[in-house]
Amino acid sequence: ILRENMGFTLQEVAQLREEFDTADTAQHGYLFFEGFRKIVDKQSPPVPNDELRKLVQESDLNQNRRMEFNEFLWITRRLQDRRDREVMATAHAMRKEIGFNIEEVRQLRDLFTAADTDNSGAIDFAELRVVMSGMVTMCVEATYELQQIVNEVDYNSDGVLDFWEFLRLLRLLQVRNWRNFTGVASGIAGM
């Protein structure tokens, strides 16, 4: 089944089918480039038009200049594989930059997941405050200081921390020994 579905699970195929059908507003069973572009823009980091058009051309084996669902799956697989490679490269580089070993990153991922109470994939300041209050007294001054440090590591300035920003934050708190963070956090991932 995975081979037939370009490596996607049945659940993923159903979700992709729904996105495809939504973009196929005329219900012809195929998409043109503009409809496909809208789906890609929602799913992934920006993909240049020329690169996307090349994938569309490579997938159009019957040369009808229409993207049927199986061609859509083929392209989506390539885009997903590309994102996965980028994530792995980022993870490797970040782990080296921040200095946590693999086991520490796993433990901190568990902490991040537990702190992400709304399952958004990011931690907002309220969620972070809850985590920190288990280690540090979060008085008004500490809250202000933490917000300033968060602003330093929130590279995209979206007001939330993704996992990599969260790791940078923890390392920065440790390096600065913010409010004796190193001492109180020593049991967390070997910090």
Side-chain angles (χ1 to χ4, degrees), residues 116-136:
D116 181 19
T117 56
D118 62 1
N119 296 317
S120 64
I123 296 178
D124 62 29
F125 192 74
E127 292 169 324
L128 180 62
R129 244 183 124 243
V130 170
V131 170
M132 291 297 148
S133 67
M135 296 179 266
V136 175

Side-chain angles (χ1 to χ4, degrees), residues 96-110:
K96 285 179 74 173
E97 173 192 325
I98 296 172
F100 292 123
N101 67 39
I102 292 172
E103 185 55 35
E104 290 169 336
V105 170
R106 283 188 186 119
Q107 291 174 9
L108 293 170
R109 171 59 84 179
D110 291 343

Side-chain angles (χ1 to χ4, degrees), residues 45-169:
V47 178
N49 261 349
D50 57 336
E51 186 178 328
L52 202 53
R53 286 190 186 281
K54 183 179 178 194
L55 282 171
V56 169
Q57 288 173 344
E58 289 174 11
S59 75
D60 191 16
L61 298 178
N62 59 9
Q63 301 295 309
N64 67 358
R65 301 182 61 115
R66 299 175 180 159
M67 182 185 304
E68 285 104 12
F69 185 66
N70 63 335
E71 296 165 338
F72 170 74
L73 282 180
W74 186 88
I75 295 170
T76 303
R77 169 51 46 209
R78 268 108 200 115
L79 292 173
Q80 181 64 48
D81 290 350
R82 174 184 159 191
R83 282 190 300 272
D84 291 348
R85 283 189 302 275
E86 289 170 357
V87 166
M88 292 303 294
T90 299
H92 182 70
M94 288 296 301
R95 196 173 61 74
K96 285 179 74 173
E97 173 192 325
I98 296 172
F100 292 123
N101 67 39
I102 292 172
E103 185 55 35
E104 290 169 336
V105 170
R106 283 188 186 119
Q107 291 174 9
L108 293 170
R109 171 59 84 179
D110 291 343
L111 177 63
F112 179 85
T113 301
D116 181 19
T117 56
D118 62 1
N119 296 317
S120 64
I123 296 178
D124 62 29
F125 192 74
E127 292 169 324
L128 180 62
R129 244 183 124 243
V130 170
V131 170
M132 291 297 148
S133 67
M135 296 179 266
V136 175
T137 302
M138 291 301 298
C139 61
V140 173
E141 186 178 299
T143 300
Y144 176 79
E145 293 168 358
L146 183 61
Q147 182 64 65
Q148 298 309 305
I149 299 169
V150 165
N151 292 342
E152 290 179 46
V153 300
D154 184 12
Y155 290 125
N156 57 3
S157 300
D158 61 357
V160 296
L161 299 179
D162 64 24
F163 180 63
W164 306 112
E165 291 168 331
F166 177 70
L167 289 182
R168 281 188 177 113
L169 172 71

Side-chain angles (χ1 to χ4, degrees), residues 12 15 31 40 51 103 141 159 164 184:
E12 290 169 326
Q15 182 180 358
L31 299 177
V40 169
E51 186 178 328
E103 185 55 35
E141 186 178 299
W164 306 112
V184 296

